[in-house]
Amino acid sequence: MKPISVDDLAGRLGRWSAGRGSLYLLLAARLRELVDEGLLPAGTVLPPDRSLAAGLAVGRTTVIAAYDLLRQEGRLTRRRGSGTWVSPGGGAAAARAETANPMFVNLLEPPDGVLQFACAGPSAPPPRLVEAQRRAVDRLGGDDLGYHPSGHPVLRAALATRYRDLGVPTTAAQVLVTTGAQQALALLTRALVRPGDEVLVEAPTYPGALDLFREVGAVVRATDDLADALARSTPALVYAMPSFRNPTGSSLSALERTRLARSAGDVPLVFDEVLADLDLTGAPAPPPTPGVITVGSLSKVVWGGLRVGWVRADAALVARLARFKAVHDLGGAVLDQFAAVELLADFDAVRSERVTALRRQHDHLCARLREELPEWGFTPAEGGQTLWVRLPGVDAASYAQVALRHGVAVLPGASLDPTGGSGDRLRVPFTAAPAVISAAVAALADAWRAFGAESTRRPLVPSMSV
Amino acid sequence: MKPISVDDLAGRLGRWSAGRGSLYLLLAARLRELVDEGLLPAGTVLPPDRSLAAGLAVGRTTVIAAYDLLRQEGRLTRRRGSGTWVSPGGGAAAARAETANPMFVNLLEPPDGVLQFACAGPSAPPPRLVEAQRRAVDRLGGDDLGYHPSGHPVLRAALATRYRDLGVPTTAAQVLVTTGAQQALALLTRALVRPGDEVLVEAPTYPGALDLFREVGAVVRATDDLADALARSTPALVYAMPSFRNPTGSSLSALERTRLARSAGDVPLVFDEVLADLDLTGAPAPPPTPGVITVGSLSKVVWGGLRVGWVRADAALVARLARFKAVHDLGGAVLDQFAAVELLADFDAVRSERVTALRRQHDHLCARLREELPEWGFTPAEGGQTLWVRLPGVDAASYAQVALRHGVAVLPGASLDPTGGSGDRLRVPFTAAPAVISAAVAALADAWRAFGAESTRRPLVPSMSV
């Protein structure tokens, strides 16, 4: 049990109050980070409320509220008379159980014998990829050190050609190849967002992006209307999914995209288009909006294990991102990039095959849900990989726990919604084969009956003692 | 021309003085970062020396010296009477020309028609890799989303087996697969180093590691004797290459490794063993030292374009690194990981083939240098990929510029030495085929004659006007 002095703690807290929002939430967020990253080890005794409040020049209630929030989360232990300390084993365990995004937790610690419906993506490498990889191996050879931080020149050229084919002049220098769209977003965040900066996002949205913004210490502001929010503030970055947004499946029209780009002005606007090729009507992806930073990927059209994503942006930004990529991993796998070149050469066939499968699976999922879970509400998707399902009057996170015990991992809405909304929503993917979808819906229905039978159904919004 | 107030600039400077060393260098380093990252855009007028000095509570000479240094670098413009401002276009251009490590610059902007001797690694994918990639494709198939943030289970198991074969109990949970050793170091830096922390390194050392430490805002301290330095300070991390250190080729004995681990105590000690398999005598890599974090890679034994590296550490740290990897790229390329499994199954043959080629190239390089550049001093290498050559009484960075004009890119010693030493050294790799080595040495010799003929040979230490 080592006590930490007010001065030492204040030093570690750094510019904790730089963000927006209630002071106690900002203080709690920074303390949570220190605990989770082991910078305040288990057993560390924190200063008394009053001393810390004086040291930070805030009201005592701010410190009490922050301490109480972390106590509720299990990170701190508080005893009247003996003070406040970091819970034993607390940081790591609490972080794993609570702060880590459930999408990542499901990938990091895949539960045995559970249907993986928390992550959405092709459930197996398609035969077309296997063929493309075989042809890719034939491209290996000749003098090449193999380090291509901006991407292999052949793939950069192929991606530029693809954008030109979509009707937008693009050079290879405007394309950076990344390890999937996730790294594209990570590099953009590194380049454009500083601690305390505001990042504007849609609500709900892709949780993997939220984690990146939070990791860098940004203040994430979510809105239903980005253009409107832009009229009233100047964030460091705007992140949007204009095509079949994850998880809702909603899209912006061409006009709405242009308007949004106009309202962004000089603010960097990122369009995450990883789902743009998955229009269930079979229509091709829309061309990139001028002036917008576009992120793309083959992970959803082909396979997640093919780690090829990219950024299309102005050449100066691409050069800057490439410097970060060089320092962070020296460049991506060459063979995957060659396979991407092969797949892009026949992209319409690749996309059409994937969309055909998704449409069949989508229709099957809708039919099974209507049959087995008629109380659940949803609108059929026009594209993408998921249905955004409403569970009438229920805390979907609690239900998801019951579903897990019945053998299906699903993502509750709250983990995709930084406003704290979407608590009654569930994201259900249609990326598995029809037989697996049938089994999953049957298990979800079992879980639903078990959940309904529980004597005390938990309230929608968990109570807070603060 | 927008002026920035003292308060605003002080806010952006943050904890600039937290590091060690002269105040003016710390201030210049932080200002340089703000300029290079565009946080002080071109045209921004900085506060007068006297006001900034008062605002930062430092002497006026400190501010003048920092401003002057950045003016010399081209980042700032100063005019008597009209003040100090960020040079037009300054940040980005200056950053590209000067701060970026020459190793990365050579990869990012490979000069046309120049022999690439600034980067060391196999110069082409070997036939064994092509065969391994073919067998890897056959492993594709079956249900798998393809996202493996900790690494594919089959490769994690194969790496654990390899360490057990070297005599050290290791489980798959102690192994994290990364996109090359560079990402392994990036994740370790992210997990273990905070801004202002001290990182202890050898001098000279691998420049790609230095860039990572500096990017996170660490204070890099370089020493010839890590154990001795550890007796006098407690850094956040120690980074060492105990086997055929890049660039010197020197190694620590088993006893020295154990002693170093003991002096590190609780301080995380990272052994970068990417060159450990390249013992020119053909001896296998030493087993990992207990309690030490080991970084490995196939990039130097097989090929840089096979982006497979790893960290061996305790399971708790591996789990933490995996969380960062999940957020940053969701996991590496699956096919490369399968190829790594194939290569590890026959690793002694892979290594022996590579070492045989390196030995031949090493002997050829030594012979050519003795013949064509007898004034240059070097000790033959015992392992690794490079010779550490001394250019008698000469600024090797200036010579490297002349060599580049003669068609060979080489790394001058100063870029690998954070102490500011090694100014008369050049790193010369023996990774190219003998004929290419011959051509490179001939060009280096031409450049040497041209350099010697220059009327004003530049002094070893560039003069500073501060």
Side-chain angles (χ1 to χ4, degrees), chain B residues 166-220:
Chain B
L166 288 170
V168 180
T170 304
T171 66
Q174 287 171 272
V175 176
L176 177 87
V177 178
T178 57
T179 306
Q182 188 71 26
Q183 189 184 46
L185 297 176
L187 294 171
L188 285 165
T189 305
R190 170 73 187 76
L192 301 172
V193 185
R194 304 277 121 191
D197 278 357
E198 182 183 310
V199 173
L200 193 60
V201 304
E202 298 158 310
T205 189
Y206 170 57
L210 298 177
D211 275 25
L212 283 165
F213 303 143
R214 287 177 182 141
E215 197 197 61
V216 80
V219 179
V220 174

Side-chain angles (χ1 to χ4, degrees), chain A residues 37 144 182 303 307 327 329, chain B residues 144 182 303 307 327 329:
Chain A
E37 303 201 336
D144 177 11
Q182 187 70 28
W303 185 48
R307 303 300 301 127
V327 176
D329 67 14
Chain B
D144 177 11
Q182 188 71 26
W303 186 48
R307 304 299 300 127
V327 176
D329 68 13

Side-chain angles (χ1 to χ4, degrees), chain B residues 38-372:
Chain B
L39 297 170
L40 290 176
T44 306
V45 178
L46 300 185
D49 318 331
R50 199 181 299 273
S51 324
L52 184 59
L56 298 177
V58 298
R60 191 174 158 214
T61 51
T62 299
V63 174
I64 294 177
Y67 277 178
D68 274 348
L69 185 57
L70 294 176
R71 181 186 53 74
Q72 284 186 291
E73 297 171 0
R75 287 179 173 82
L76 298 184
T77 307
R78 301 196 73 177
R79 292 270 162 72
R80 192 172 296 275
S82 39
T84 304
W85 60 92
V86 177
S87 303
R96 206 157 358 158
E98 300 190 338
T99 65
N101 158 346
M103 182 186 84
F104 292 135
V105 170
N106 272 283
L107 293 174
L108 289 163
E109 300 169 7
D112 278 341
V114 159
L115 294 172
Q116 186 52 273
F117 273 51
C119 310
S123 55
R128 256 179 208 283
L129 171 63
V130 178
E131 287 316 307
Q133 291 281 24
R134 280 193 214 290
R135 291 195 301 275
V137 177
D138 294 333
R139 286 179 179 258
L140 280 179
D143 279 357
D144 177 11
L145 274 168
Y147 298 114
H148 301 283
S150 320
H152 196 285
V154 177
L155 178 55
R156 295 177 87 191
L159 286 166
T161 302
R162 179 162 150 65
Y163 280 116
R164 283 200 299 273
D165 290 349
L166 288 170
V168 180
T170 304
T171 66
Q174 287 171 272
V175 176
L176 177 87
V177 178
T178 57
T179 306
Q182 188 71 26
Q183 189 184 46
L185 297 176
L187 294 171
L188 285 165
T189 305
R190 170 73 187 76
L192 301 172
V193 185
R194 304 277 121 191
D197 278 357
E198 182 183 310
V199 173
L200 193 60
V201 304
E202 298 158 310
T205 189
Y206 170 57
L210 298 177
D211 275 25
L212 283 165
F213 303 143
R214 287 177 182 141
E215 197 197 61
V216 80
V219 179
V220 174
R221 197 152 69 89
T223 171
D224 284 334
D225 187 339
L226 294 174
D228 177 65
L230 276 164
R232 288 177 292 106
S233 74
T234 307
L237 183 85
V238 184
Y239 171 76
M241 294 191 77
S243 305
F244 315 118
R245 171 164 33 125
N246 181 356
T248 62
S250 58
S251 295
L252 299 184
S253 69
L255 188 62
E256 287 169 322
R257 288 165 198 244
T258 310
R259 275 193 187 144
L260 180 53
R262 205 175 303 137
S263 13
D266 290 337
V267 174
L269 170 60
V270 176
F271 277 0
D272 178 343
E273 290 280 35
V274 295
L275 300 175
D277 291 304
L278 302 184
D279 188 322
L280 295 185
T281 70
T289 310
V292 169
I293 300 163
T294 305
V295 168
S297 162
L298 292 181
S299 302
K300 307 305 180 192
V301 191
V302 183
W303 186 48
L306 175 76
R307 304 299 300 127
V308 175
W310 60 86
V311 179
R312 180 191 179 279
D314 65 76
L317 178 58
V318 164
R320 231 178 121 216
L321 297 172
R323 274 171 54 207
F324 292 125
K325 175 138 170 91
V327 176
H328 283 262
D329 68 13
L330 277 169
V334 170
L335 204 78
D336 268 18
Q337 295 185 64
F338 284 160
V341 171
E342 298 287 341
L343 291 159
L344 287 171
D346 200 14
F347 191 69
D348 281 342
V350 170
R351 183 171 58 81
S352 154
E353 198 170 274
R354 174 84 184 125
V355 165
T356 302
L358 278 173
R359 198 161 38 210
R360 191 178 63 239
Q361 292 158 196
H362 168 269
D363 294 351
H364 185 72
L365 175 62
C366 293
R368 296 315 309 143
L369 286 176
R370 286 193 194 105
E371 172 83 19
E372 300 216 37

